[in-house]
Amino acid sequence: MQVYPSEAIRNIGIVGHSGVGKTTLVEGLLFTSGAVARPGRVEDGNTVSDFLPEEIARQVTISSALVPVEWSGKKLNILDSPGYSDFLGEIEGTMRVVDGTLFVLCAASGVQVQTEVIWEKVDGLGLPRIVFINKMERENADFFRTLEQLKRHFPQSRFIACQLPIGQAENFAGFYDLLVDEVFPVDGSKGGVVPDELEVARETFREQLIEAAVEADDELLNKYLEGEAISPSEIVNGLTAGFRAGKVVPVFIGSAVLGTGVRRLLDILADFLPSPGLASASTDQGCAAYVFKTAVDPYVGKISLLKVLRGSLKPESSLYNLNKGNQERISGLFTMRGKQQVPLSQGVPGDLIALTKLSQTSTGDTLFHLPQGESLAPLEFAQPIFSMALSPKTKNDDDKLGSALARLVEEDPSLRVERNVETKQVLLKGMGELHLEINIEKLKRKFGVQVDTCAPKVPYRETIRKEIKIEGKHKKQTGGHGQYGHVWLNLAPSKHSDLDFSEEIFGGSVPRQYIPAVEKGLREAMLEGVLAGYPVMGIKAVLTDGSYHNVDSSEMAFKLAAALAFRKGAQQAQPVLLEPVMHVEIVVPETMMGDIISDLNGRRGKVLGMEPGGNKQVIKALVPEAEMLNYAIALRSITQGRGRFIMVFDHYDEVPGKLAEAIITKAKLEKSS
C-alpha cells in the first residue's frame, strides 16, 4: 500500500448497537473504494472485518478490526468495532487511537442501548462524531423519527441533518444532499428533482445547516448577519470546523445493503475528519508508537497493532518498550485489512500499522527510540462482572491451560484469570456470559485446550457464637517414647477475622516451648470447620491450663491436643456458617430504580442509599456474593443493557438457617463423593 503523509490520514472508529449494519457498511466502503472486487455478506461469513470463526458462526462482531481504504487521495484507517455489550473492552482500545467516530443507527430501530453507552464513552473523550442512519430501505424505517430520538437522548449535542430521504422503508428511492444541493437516487447515480413533499423540510433543514455552519466562523457569521449569500463551499467549510470542534454532529443517511449513500459517506469521512492530532511531529524526529491492540494467531504468532505517535517507523529497526524495559526488534512492517497483511515501507506519524514478533510487548505499551522517555498512560478496562470456573478435561489440557489463558488475556485485556487457592478453582472473569463462552471456544480452537465449566464456588466461612471451656488431651503409648499433650482452652467469638490467641499459664503447667505449638495446632484445625469443612474465622482462644510429661511431651503432641480441643469445642460452641457479603454500586436510569431495588430485595440485599450520577442514579447496597453470581445477566435483562455495576468484598455475615442447611448438606455430599 502507498505511504500517505500524516495530513492525508484519517483514523475512524465505526461504532453502534449490534445489528445496525456496521460490518455491512464497511463492506460497502471497501467495495466502493475499489479495495475489494465484490462486497461480502455477514450471512455468508465472507466479510473482511468479521473473519474469526466465532464471528462467522454467530454473525456478530466480537473483535475490532482494522480496515484501511484509499479514497480521494487520503487513507482512511477504519476500525470496525463490536456493538454487543460484552465486548466494550474492544472499543476502549479503538477510542484511544481514532480522531473521530462514525455512529451507525438503524432507521427502524432508532437509538438503541449500546448507542447510548458508547456515546457516553465518546463524550468523555471529546471525539467528534458523525451519524449515519442506515437501513433506510427497512420496514418501518423513519429518518425524522430517528433524528428526533437522537435529539431527545443526547440533548447536549447539536444534530444537523445534511441529507433528507426521498421516500422511506419500501418506498426509499434515494436522498437529497443539502451540502451539494443534489439528488442521489437509490441506484447510486446522480441527478433528479426534489419531490414536492420535501420542499418545506428542505428549506427548514437548510436554514439549520447554514446557521450551524456560520456559527463556527466569525467572518461567515458577520456575512450571514449582513444578509449576504453563503456559498456551498463556505457552508461545508463552516460545518467541518464546527464538527471538528465538537459543536455539531452531522447526520447522513443511506442503505449499506443497497449501497446507497456509501460513496457520499466516503467523501464526508475524507473531508470532514481531522488528520491525526499527534501527527504534527516531523518524521525526522525519533520514533514513538503506542500499542492499542494485540492479536494472537496460532500460525502467524502475535500481531501488535500500533499508532505511530511521532517520527518514522521503518523495517529492520529497534524500539524500546518503556513499560517493560526491553528492546524490541522491528522486522516486517505492514497494515491489516481484516486478517490480510498489507506490506508498508514505513509508518508515518498518525498512521495505524501492524508488527509481528514483539516478544514482550502487550496492549497499552509505549515504544520509543530511546530507552528513556515518557510512556502513555495504560488503558484502563472495566472491572470484570461475570465469572466461570474452568477445569481441564485431560492431563494434557491441564499442562497447557496456564499458558493458553495467559495468551487469551494478552489478546483481550478485559479478561482476568484468577486462581482461588481456597476453592481450588481457576476462574475466568469477563464482561458477560457470551464474552467468556467465546474465549473458551478460542481456548480449544487456538491452543487445543478443552475445559469443563461451572459456576464459581462461594468461599464460605464458619465461626462460633458461644463461649466455651474445653479440654484437649493427646496421649499415645508406643513402646518407646510415647506422646503426651494436654491443654485447656477458652474459645469465644471474636471480631477479628484471624485467630486471636493468647495464654494465661501459671506455674508452668504447659512449658513455654510448647505454647507456639498450641497456636499452630489451632490454626491448622481452623482450616477445616466442623459444619461443612469451610475455614473457620473470628475465634478468640485463650490457653488457660494443661499438663505435660517430662519424657513423652513434644511440640507435635501439644499441636494435636490443641486441634482436638478446637474440633470438640467448635461443635459445642454453636457453630454457624458465614457468607461473603459484597458492597455493590449499580448505575441505572432513574426510571428503572424500582425494578432494581425490588430485584435486590429478592437477592437478600440491603439498600444503603441512592445518589444522582449524571442523568442516572447510583444505588449502593450490600448483597451476599452467592446472590450475585448471575447478576450481570439479570441486570442486563432488567435494564435492557442500560445498567452497569461494580462490587467489592465488604464483610462476612451469618447465612440464614434454611439456606445454611442446604449448603452444609451439599458440601458434605461433595466431600463424600
Side-chain angles (χ1 to χ4, degrees):
M1 178 176 278
Q2 174 187 339
V3 175
Y4 288 80
S6 298
E7 57 271 16
I9 291 173
R10 305 288 185 266
N11 297 321
I12 314 121
I14 296 189
V15 295
H17 194 91
S18 183
V20 296
K22 300 186 298 296
T23 299
T24 303
L25 178 60
V26 170
E27 288 297 311
L29 297 172
L30 284 163
F31 174 67
T32 304
S33 67
V36 296
R38 58 186 296 244
R41 297 176 73 247
V42 172
E43 297 81 2
D44 296 336
N46 60 354
T47 62
V48 172
S49 57
D50 283 1
F51 55 86
L52 296 175
E54 294 81 10
E55 293 176 315
I56 294 170
R58 289 176 171 81
Q59 297 184 9
V60 62
T61 302
I62 64 174
S63 178
S64 296
L66 175 59
V67 185
V69 301
E70 298 169 285
W71 186 257
S72 189
K74 297 181 178 67
K75 179 184 181 184
L76 279 59
N77 286 319
I78 297 169
L79 284 161
D80 182 20
S81 302
Y84 197 78
S85 58
D86 280 20
F87 308 105
L88 283 177
E90 291 286 327
I91 298 176
E92 303 278 359
T94 296
M95 293 299 103
R96 189 71 176 267
V97 297
V98 299
D99 304 294
T101 51
L102 175 65
F103 275 82
V104 182
L105 274 70
C106 171
S109 304
V111 177
Q112 294 170 277
V113 175
Q114 290 310 307
T115 305
E116 299 177 32
V117 173
I118 301 168
W119 195 279
E120 187 177 325
K121 288 184 176 294
V122 174
D123 252 344
L125 297 169
L127 290 169
R129 281 155 278 197
I130 292 174
V131 170
F132 183 77
I133 299 178
N134 191 27
K135 299 191 177 184
M136 286 299 302
E137 83 294 346
R138 185 176 166 184
E139 185 181 358
N140 297 321
D142 191 326
F143 165 76
F144 298 102
R145 181 186 64 212
T146 304
L147 183 62
E148 287 306 310
Q149 286 182 359
L150 282 166
K151 293 177 180 178
R152 187 169 64 251
H153 279 83
F154 312 116
Q156 304 303 318
S157 298
R158 185 178 183 183
F159 295 94
I160 301 298
C162 298
Q163 296 169 343
L164 300 175
I166 300 174
Q168 302 194 98
E170 64 272 12
N171 298 318
F172 180 57
F175 60 89
Y176 167 67
D177 195 306
L178 293 158
L179 292 174
V180 293
D181 192 22
E182 286 188 34
V183 169
F184 292 81
V186 73
D187 61 7
S189 61
K190 275 188 184 182
V193 179
V194 180
D196 293 340
E197 61 267 23
L198 266 188
E199 281 298 337
V200 175
R202 174 189 186 184
E203 292 305 316
T204 301
F205 283 100
R206 183 168 176 78
E207 188 64 27
Q208 294 176 6
L209 177 61
I210 293 172
E211 288 177 359
V214 300
E215 286 177 13
D217 187 304
D218 290 340
E219 288 186 18
L220 276 183
L221 181 59
N222 291 331
K223 188 176 178 180
Y224 175 72
L225 293 174
E226 291 170 4
E228 296 183 40
I230 308 298
S231 69
S233 61
E234 288 175 324
I235 293 174
V236 171
N237 291 338
L239 192 66
T240 303
F243 159 73
R244 293 181 178 181
K247 296 179 179 178
V248 297
V249 180
V251 180
F252 300 88
I253 61 175
S255 167
V257 169
L258 301 177
T260 308
V262 176
R263 178 176 292 271
R264 188 74 185 107
L265 183 61
L266 278 168
D267 291 335
I268 296 301
L269 294 176
D271 295 339
F272 274 48
L273 285 161
S275 56
L278 294 173
S280 58
S282 168
T283 54
D284 296 332
Q285 291 182 295
C287 185
Y290 174 77
V291 182
F292 67 92
K293 182 176 172 61
T294 302
V296 178
D297 189 286
Y299 304 106
V300 179
K302 186 165 68 173
I303 301 173
S304 301
L305 296 181
L306 305 88
K307 181 175 185 178
V308 181
L309 303 180
R310 77 177 207 194
S312 178
L313 183 58
K314 296 180 179 179
E316 307 305 324
S317 59
S318 296
L319 290 174
Y320 292 90
N321 186 320
L322 297 181
N323 301 79
K324 303 294 192 326
N326 66 292
Q327 188 177 29
E328 295 279 20
R329 180 73 179 167
I330 310 301
S331 51
L333 184 67
F334 51 94
T335 187
M336 301 295 294
R337 181 171 285 143
K339 64 180 177 181
Q340 178 192 3
Q341 297 181 12
V342 182
L344 290 175
S345 59
Q346 66 172 318
V348 301
D351 204 1
L352 306 184
I353 63 166
L355 301 173
T356 57
K357 301 176 182 178
L358 300 184
S359 59
Q360 297 183 47
T361 295
S362 54
T363 301
D365 287 351
T366 301
L367 304 179
F368 201 53
H369 69 289
L370 295 174
Q372 298 90 23
E374 185 175 349
S375 62
L376 267 67
L379 280 167
E380 292 186 8
F381 293 92
Q383 177 186 343
I385 56 175
F386 191 80
S387 302
M388 283 184 181
L390 310 181
S391 56
K393 285 183 178 290
T394 67
K395 176 65 168 64
N396 186 48
D397 293 325
D398 192 14
D399 294 339
K400 296 189 293 184
L401 181 60
S403 60
L405 287 173
R407 295 176 75 182
L408 272 186
V409 173
E410 186 176 31
E411 188 173 39
D412 184 355
S414 63
L415 287 172
R416 301 283 190 279
V417 175
E418 178 183 300
R419 287 167 175 80
N420 192 312
V421 178
E422 184 177 323
T423 62
K424 299 179 176 61
Q425 287 183 315
V426 175
L427 302 181
L428 183 63
K429 299 183 174 184
M431 304 310 298
E433 190 174 23
L434 180 62
H435 187 204
L436 298 189
E437 284 178 0
I438 284 176
N439 278 282
I440 288 166
E441 289 176 19
K442 285 184 181 180
L443 271 179
K444 180 180 178 181
R445 177 177 63 85
K446 286 189 171 187
F447 311 113
V449 177
Q450 297 188 63
V451 296
D452 293 317
T453 64
C454 64
K457 293 179 181 178
V458 176
Y460 292 105
R461 294 282 192 274
E462 297 180 22
T463 192
I464 59 174
R465 291 295 186 228
K466 179 181 174 183
E467 186 173 353
I468 192 169
K469 184 172 184 179
I470 196 74
E471 178 186 26
K473 181 181 286 187
H474 175 72
K475 183 177 181 181
K476 191 174 184 181
Q477 197 63 42
T478 57
H481 283 304
Q483 297 179 26
Y484 183 87
H486 177 217
V487 296
W488 278 93
L489 297 171
N490 283 346
L491 300 179
S494 169
K495 293 182 179 180
H496 297 286
S497 59
D498 198 9
L499 171 66
D500 181 8
F501 176 77
S502 61
E503 54 85 15
E504 297 176 357
I505 295 296
F506 295 97
S509 56
V510 176
R512 290 289 167 188
Q513 68 266 30
Y514 297 141
I515 292 176
V518 173
E519 181 179 359
K520 187 175 181 181
L522 288 170
R523 290 189 181 278
E524 290 183 3
M526 286 174 63
L527 295 175
E528 188 172 328
V530 297
L531 286 175
Y534 292 108
V536 182
M537 63 179 292
I539 300 291
K540 181 179 181 181
V542 182
L543 174 62
T544 59
D545 202 359
S547 62
Y548 71 101
H549 188 278
N550 286 329
V551 176
D552 292 344
S553 288
S554 64
E555 289 186 0
M556 178 60 72
F558 273 95
K559 188 172 80 168
L560 293 172
L564 182 66
F566 176 80
R567 284 191 285 268
K568 187 166 57 173
Q571 289 175 337
Q572 301 173 27
Q574 195 180 330
V576 294
L577 192 67
L578 302 178
E579 63 182 346
V581 177
M582 313 302 285
H583 183 275
V584 185
E585 290 191 7
I586 310 159
V587 182
V588 294
E590 190 168 354
T591 55
M592 298 175 177
M593 285 176 59
D595 292 335
I596 295 297
I597 292 173
S598 176
D599 180 72
L600 289 174
N601 290 335
R603 295 174 184 272
R604 299 187 285 126
K606 177 184 178 183
V607 177
L608 301 177
M610 292 160 281
E611 59 186 48
N615 60 348
K616 297 187 178 181
Q617 288 285 327
V618 181
I619 302 171
K620 298 182 179 181
L622 295 174
V623 191
E625 183 180 349
E627 304 288 349
M628 294 296 292
L629 296 179
N630 67 343
Y631 191 66
I633 299 171
L635 181 64
R636 185 171 297 156
S637 175
I638 295 170
T639 66
Q640 292 83 51
R642 290 181 173 85
R644 63 181 188 272
F645 76 99
I646 58 172
M647 66 177 183
V648 294
F649 172 77
D650 191 84
H651 68 280
Y652 274 91
D653 204 354
E654 188 172 336
V655 182
K658 291 289 185 182
L659 286 174
E661 288 177 14
I663 294 166
I664 292 167
T665 301
K666 183 179 178 181
K668 288 180 176 178
L669 285 173
E670 289 178 352
K671 199 170 183 181
S672 62
S673 61

